[in-house]
Amino acid sequence: MLTLVVRVEKNARPAQTDALETAARAVLAILADERSFGEGEWAEAMTSWQDDRIRKIVKRSRGAEWRRAEALPGITVHGRGVGAEEPEAAAAQVRVFPPTPIDVVPAEIANLQVSGTDFVDARELPPVEAGVPVLWVNPELEMSSGKAMAQCGHAAQLAWWALSDEARKEWEAADFALAVRTATSAQWTQLLRSGLPVVQDAGFTEIEPGSRTVIADHPQLRR
């Protein structure tokens, strides 16, 4: 299980889209980290996890809980404030941790809450920049923000696996730039026919097994 923890302070909740994008970038960050392959300290855990179901869970923390989580090995990724009323003041923060079996998750994160991650966008989203990968969310599904964050992480991971080594290096050099948007019904139908990576959820929580949740539209995968 790969655990992501989103920081949710009492008076500083991240915007929905910023949280989704930051979670996806956090997954990419740990996939690309030198500790995750070769002789790296996380390599065995990462390989075992990727060879199995790439399950992810998103939890929330604040204050002392966040500080304790940050003290554990992992990577903190900062958002860009997309959708936030005050982007710089309320940018999302997500920390991703090396995967562990469910029964050995460190207490500092095992005891954190899953609920309470329902975020909203306070302002209109900007247009997606040309050439930026887009993770398209299924418009017909209702998911909590935490569930959607995990699904966007899955989609980013599927795109990463499908890319060439050169394309991966380019994405990493761009700080894993990406956008998350909800597709229209017409867009979703077209995307399903495109052959792009699509997340099909196992249905452990919130939605029906087999539900297709997010499609990863990376320009390099359309060539």
Side-chain angles (χ1 to χ4, degrees), residues 45-122:
M46 288 293 292
T47 298
S48 177
W49 170 68
Q50 291 181 82
D51 286 344
D52 198 0
R53 292 175 174 171
I54 54 170
R55 292 188 64 185
K56 300 176 180 70
I57 188 169
V58 176
K59 298 192 172 188
R60 64 176 172 86
S61 70
R62 70 183 187 190
E65 292 177 333
W66 173 257
R67 291 190 291 275
R68 286 193 291 269
E70 273 214 307
L72 297 174
I75 302 169
T76 297
V77 175
H78 295 260
R80 299 178 172 89
V82 177
E85 190 169 355
E86 298 180 23
E88 293 184 2
Q93 294 182 52
V94 176
R95 189 165 180 83
V96 59
F97 303 88
T100 62
I102 296 175
D103 56 351
V104 294
V105 175
E108 292 90 340
I109 54 178
N111 295 331
L112 297 176
Q113 296 296 311
V114 174
S115 61
T117 56
D118 290 311
F119 310 130
V120 296
D121 287 323

